[in-house]
Amino acid sequence: MEVFDWGVVAAYFVLVFGVAIMATRRRKKADSQDFFLAGRNAGWFVVGASLFASNIGSEHLVGLAGTGAASGIAVGQFEILAGLILLLLGWLFVPFYMRSGVFTMPEFLEKRYSEGAKFYLAIISIIGYVLTKISVTIAAGGIVFQSLMGLDFWTGAVIVVVATGLYTIWGGLRAVLYTDVLQMIVLLLGAVAVTVIGLQAVGGWSALRVEAGDAAFSLWRPMSDPEFPWTGILFGAPILGVWYWCTDQYIVQRVLSAHGLEQARRGTIFAAWLKQLPLFLFVVPGIIAATLAERGLFVLDSPDAALPTLVAQLLPVGFKGLVVAGLLAALMSSLSSVFNSCSTIVTMDIYKRFHKDASERLLVLVGRLSTAALVGLGLLWIPFMSRISGQFYTYLQSVQAYISPPIAAVFLVGILWPRASAKGAGWALGVGAVLGIGRLILELNKDALHGIWLTLAVENFLHVAIILFLVSFLVLVVGSLIFPDAEPEQDLTWHAVFRDGTAIPTKGRTRDIWLSLGVVAAVAVLWVYFS
């Protein structure tokens, strides 16, 4: 990087901290609702921008481009489908969450089912955030600094953790939300620069399609495809999507911060439109890099090197700094979001459980201390990263695919069926967890397996997600019929929310319906064009 590139990166850091300071000055009082949910006063643009920025991390960008370079645009299906799932969040799930007045998703499960369901999700969420989201994001930060900025891996990782932790500890979700808006803009500007300059280098869109071939530009793969079978995409990916976009604290906390149901719903629609961009801005650059490498313009050491190599080889002075700032924006928005979401669960679901009379000031203090502890864990985790294999990280990430189907089933059935009971939910979560862990164990030992066990171990994870969801669904239904609650839940099911009209406020409803239908139409066009 040249001096001007460093100047762009420095300006980015100044802007982030400036926005964080301005955002925290706007708060009226430092209570738990302000610290954890930004005073429930965020508008649709901020909500939608934060949903998008929190989801897109540096490892996400590198991974999408790398998979695009290796196997084409099929991985973009997850981004496209996310738009439809976000509509489900806004139109179906959000009314229940807003009605319940909860701070966290575990708290919602407690109100709908039982305290046991709450603690299950709280513990699973905290472990998952610390071992996967935080560790992987920190590692990605070190790699960005090392590969594109020439700094030592550990130095880069520490800078990212400390810088992100500072404004998250001080400003809470309000600082996270408003810095996410800035980071979304920087991220998109950097991605557009890479895509446009890359397309110019390869000779344009038509030349890229011809040279890469039809297979690289097909969203649909046969059912036997080991990575993206069409059956898994259509029936398995939505299950994982419901868990991630509609029930995970990391995402839903942004919606809970909205100023009313209308702003929350419109924020999800805005994010749904934004999620149609990654196919072109993050996946296509990987195909561009692979095409230019085939021409001999440069060498790709591995598919995951597609994006860094493209940036290093093609972008002029200034644009490199912009793209690095975009990568840092993606990284810091994800890290700040997971810090804040995890500290919210620790404070509201764990600490407050044992200190019911804790004051608002004390809850905010615990939230800040929890965030600081997470920053500390992140720093302590850095020395161990180099000793842990990449394969282990892959398996660690895959755990989410195996624990999410039962959680999705419990949430979805719980809001649609009043008779879903606490014991039924407990059995579904328990059975789903055992089966998911069983699949992981088989996968870890697949080299020593034969017959049916080998088949189960190597089956595509999206197909496994379908099976786990169906089993969890059946266990929940049967368990609820055998062990019904004394008084079936009514207030947090569709009977109450939709019948009393609170689910779909009339203000702006027609416009939101048309905007939502526009997302559906955009998805259909992409599916047909890239078929």
Side-chain angles (χ1 to χ4, degrees):
M1 289 187 18
E2 303 294 335
V3 174
F4 187 69
D5 294 312
W6 282 100
V8 173
V9 173
Y12 161 73
F13 274 104
V14 170
L15 282 172
V16 166
F17 280 96
V19 169
I21 292 171
M22 290 179 61
T24 51
R25 284 182 176 178
R26 293 181 59 184
R27 61 188 177 197
K28 296 179 180 179
K29 56 181 179 178
D31 58 10
S32 60
Q33 182 165 273
D34 184 90
F35 187 81
F36 296 115
L37 295 180
R40 297 188 192 267
N41 198 37
W44 65 268
F45 186 85
V46 173
V47 171
S50 186
L51 284 170
F52 181 77
S54 298
N55 167 242
I56 303 294
S58 290
E59 78 288 348
H60 196 137
L61 297 181
V62 172
L64 285 175
T67 306
S71 58
I73 66 168
V75 67
Q77 285 277 30
F78 294 96
E79 306 302 307
I80 296 170
L81 280 168
L84 300 180
I85 304 300
L86 277 162
L87 297 181
L88 192 67
L89 169 64
W91 288 99
L92 179 62
F93 284 88
V94 166
F96 300 98
Y97 297 155
M98 302 294 277
R99 184 187 185 95
S100 67
V102 297
F103 278 72
T104 69
M105 293 298 93
E107 186 183 358
F108 180 82
L109 278 192
E110 180 183 33
K111 288 193 173 187
R112 177 59 185 87
Y113 290 114
S114 66
E115 191 172 59
K118 166 188 174 180
F119 273 102
Y120 173 88
L121 185 57
I123 298 302
I124 287 291
S125 298
I126 292 171
I127 293 174
Y129 291 155
V130 172
L131 293 183
T132 59
K133 284 187 172 69
I134 291 178
S135 60
V136 172
T137 305
I138 291 172
I143 292 170
V144 168
F145 273 90
Q146 185 178 43
S147 61
L148 293 177
M149 302 176 71
L151 292 180
D152 177 71
F153 174 89
W154 312 116
T155 302
V158 169
I159 290 174
V160 166
V161 174
V162 173
T164 308
L166 282 175
Y167 73 77
T168 308
I169 292 170
W170 174 252
L173 185 61
R174 186 180 297 277
V176 173
L177 288 175
Y178 285 93
T179 53
D180 276 355
V181 174
L182 169 65
Q183 287 158 341
M184 177 203 71
I185 295 170
V186 174
L187 171 62
L188 290 178
L189 287 175
V192 168
V194 173
T195 305
V196 171
I197 293 174
L199 283 174
Q200 289 175 346
V202 85
W205 180 258
S206 299
L208 178 65
R209 291 215 57 173
V210 170
E211 195 164 346
D214 292 336
F217 279 91
S218 176
L219 286 172
W220 302 103
R221 301 290 172 84
M223 191 168 68
S224 58
D225 187 85
E227 292 183 305
F228 311 112
W230 71 267
T231 46
I233 291 295
L234 278 184
F235 304 109
I239 294 171
L240 303 185
V242 167
W243 161 73
Y244 179 82
W245 290 104
C246 302
T247 72
D248 191 3
Q249 181 70 22
Y250 176 73
I251 290 297
V252 178
Q253 190 164 344
R254 279 109 202 85
V255 178
L256 297 179
S257 70
H259 181 58
L261 180 55
E262 178 194 356
Q263 295 298 311
R265 183 182 66 215
R266 195 160 296 161
T268 64
I269 297 171
F270 177 42
W273 277 104
L274 290 174
K275 286 300 289 181
Q276 305 312 302
L277 299 177
L279 172 66
F280 300 98
L281 299 183
F282 306 147
V283 181
V284 168
I287 302 177
I288 293 172
T291 302
L292 294 176
E294 283 290 324
R295 293 181 182 177
L297 186 62
F298 50 71
V299 176
L300 285 182
D301 296 327
S302 68
D304 281 343
L307 185 60
T309 303
L310 203 62
V311 172
Q313 295 290 332
L314 296 185
L315 267 62
V317 174
F319 281 98
K320 287 183 182 179
L322 178 62
V323 173
V324 170
L327 289 169
L328 291 175
L331 189 152
M332 292 174 68
S333 62
S334 297
L335 197 57
S336 64
S337 296
V338 71
F339 280 160
N340 187 257
S341 297
C342 196
S343 68
T344 303
I345 292 177
V346 170
T347 304
M348 306 306 293
D349 294 322
I350 306 296
Y351 180 82
K352 196 175 181 181
R353 163 69 177 80
F354 300 102
H355 302 83
K356 295 185 183 296
D357 298 326
S359 66
E360 291 294 309
R361 177 176 293 182
L362 183 56
L363 291 176
V364 172
L365 176 62
V366 172
R368 284 180 170 150
L369 292 175
S370 300
T371 306
L374 291 168
V375 173
L377 284 174
L379 292 172
L380 290 173
W381 185 248
I382 292 174
F384 295 97
M385 287 181 181
S386 61
R387 302 183 182 182
I388 298 177
S389 68
Q391 187 180 32
F392 178 82
Y393 268 119
T394 301
Y395 287 134
L396 204 58
Q397 291 284 65
S398 70
V399 172
Q400 298 181 11
Y402 303 141
I403 65 171
S404 56
I407 295 173
V410 165
F411 270 88
L412 194 58
V413 175
I415 64 176
L416 295 177
W417 190 39
R419 293 184 62 185
S421 69
K423 287 189 175 180
W427 276 101
L429 292 172
V431 170
V434 169
L435 292 177
I437 294 172
R439 155 67 189 221
L440 183 61
I441 293 173
L442 290 176
E443 188 175 342
L444 289 169
N445 296 278
K446 62 185 177 183
D447 293 337
L449 300 177
H450 304 281
I452 184 65
W453 299 111
L454 179 60
T455 302
L456 292 174
V458 300
E459 184 60 48
N460 182 270
F461 76 98
L462 293 172
H463 290 156
V464 173
I466 298 171
I467 296 171
L468 288 177
F469 180 83
L470 292 176
V471 170
S472 301
F473 171 82
L474 290 174
V475 170
L476 175 54
V477 172
V478 173
S480 297
L481 293 175
I482 297 175
F483 303 106
D485 288 335
E487 296 183 9
E489 174 63 54
Q490 296 289 342
D491 191 52
L492 295 180
T493 64
W494 72 274
H495 287 72
V497 176
F498 283 89
R499 287 180 180 177
D500 66 12
T502 59
I504 309 178
T506 56
K507 184 179 179 180
R509 180 172 60 187
T510 301
R511 178 174 51 185
D512 289 351
I513 289 174
W514 281 110
L515 288 171
S516 299
L517 290 175
V519 173
V520 175
V523 170
V525 169
L526 290 175
W527 277 349
V528 172
Y529 181 75
F530 291 110
S531 62

